[in-house]
Structures are given as structure tokens and as C-alpha cells.
Amino acid sequence: LDERPVVLFVGRIEARKGIPYLLEAWKIVKQRVPAARLVLVGEGGLRSEYMKMTHEMNLQDVTWEGYVSPDYLPAYYQRADCFAMPSTVNESFGITLLEAMAARAPAVATSVNGATTLGEDGVTGLIVPPKDPAAMAAAIERMLGDRPMAARLAEAAQERAREFDWE
């Protein structure tokens, strides 16, 4: 309920989601944005391994939420100051990215899926190379540090999300 910046990940906790790269990026982000926190929502076979990695890396302000009911997910997206999608392998479709866009969460995604769903780098969000923690960290820092830019990208992303509406 406080005003601390929130970076959000939502998805299966598995190798192709790139969570180790997000954790490496988080280490960099925390040095420059000490008040920020990372929230990871989701379940999967690698959750305990990645939680252990978080501890071994001595990362601060990382919360592993586990499963969150679809009824409550919109609140997570709406509270996020930055949604991070660090995927390393092409997926059929980035539904959590689209959900974040629809909820006006400014998004950072890798080029693996970012252009397909998110759209254009610097217009509807920020797109970075996969497996590049420094680039992911820099993009997250831009989102957290330039609120007018983040709001502009989020608004454009929400408009883009409407293109995927069932209607």
C-alpha cells in the first residue's frame, strides 16, 4: 500500500521465462533504485531453485507470490510501475504481457516476443535483447525514473492491447 516502485513478473516459473536474467538485472536495479521491489507471480518447477538463487545472490525486496487467482491479477498489473518479461525462448503468444498492457502497466520485454505482442520499442514499451541483464536493468530503470515516458508508453500499449480484443 506504499508508494515504493514495483517491478512485476507474471508467468510460469520455468527456464524459458528468463527469470535468472531478471534476477541479475534486479541486482543492478537495486543499486540505482534502492526503494524498488520485485514481485514475481506464478508457479512452476523451478520456483524453489530460483528462490534459492535469490537468497544466494543476497537480493533484497524480492517477493515470490506464487499462484494468484485471475480475479486478483488485474490489481497486481495496475499497481506495477514496470512489468518485466525476460523471456529467452519464443513463445506462441505473450498473454501475460498483453494483460499487463491492457492494465496500463509500462512494459519491458525481450525481443524474443516483445515486438510480436508489445509492438514498437520506445512507442508501446521497451524491448531489450534476451539474456542481457544489463539491458533489462537499464530499461527497468528508465521506466522507474521517467514516469511521464512510462505513462506515455503504457497508454500506447493499452491502445495496442485493444487490437487483440475478442470482439
Side-chain angles (χ1 to χ4, degrees):
L1 297 175
D2 60 30
E3 294 301 314
R4 292 174 58 200
V6 173
V7 177
L8 175 67
F9 167 88
V10 177
R12 297 266 319 141
I13 310 300
E14 54 192 32
R16 67 190 173 116
K17 298 297 185 177
I19 294 168
Y21 301 101
L22 179 58
L23 295 177
E24 287 290 338
W26 188 246
K27 191 173 187 178
I28 299 166
V29 170
K30 280 299 283 183
Q31 293 171 0
R32 299 184 182 135
V33 189
R37 66 179 151 219
L38 175 63
V39 177
L40 296 103
V41 172
E43 288 289 340
L46 293 175
R47 184 170 186 254
S48 62
E49 182 178 325
Y50 292 162
M51 290 175 75
K52 182 180 176 188
M53 183 184 299
T54 301
H55 178 74
E56 289 170 351
M57 293 173 71
N58 197 29
L59 296 177
Q60 302 298 310
D61 297 311
V62 177
T63 303
W64 293 87
E65 288 289 314
Y67 172 79
V68 171
S69 165
D71 294 338
Y72 295 104
L73 269 179
Y76 281 81
Y77 290 124
Q78 291 168 354
R79 174 58 181 93
D81 296 288
C82 178
F83 178 79
M85 185 176 186
S87 300
T88 60
V89 177
N90 194 23
E91 301 178 42
S92 57
F93 191 77
I95 191 68
T96 60
L97 178 56
L98 186 60
E99 290 172 347
M101 293 163 59
R104 283 186 80 149
V108 173
T110 62
S111 55
V112 170
N113 292 331
T116 306
T117 306
L118 186 57
E120 188 177 345
D121 181 43
V123 176
T124 49
L126 299 178
I127 300 175
V128 300
K131 302 180 182 181
D132 188 340
M136 176 68 67
I140 291 170
E141 288 172 40
R142 278 185 68 198
M143 286 294 194
L144 299 180
D146 188 345
R147 300 310 300 152
M149 178 205 67
R152 190 173 56 253
L153 296 177
E155 184 175 337
Q158 187 178 51
E159 285 299 316
R160 178 166 168 77
R162 287 188 175 102
E163 296 173 19
F164 296 95
D165 191 312
W166 281 107
E167 293 177 359

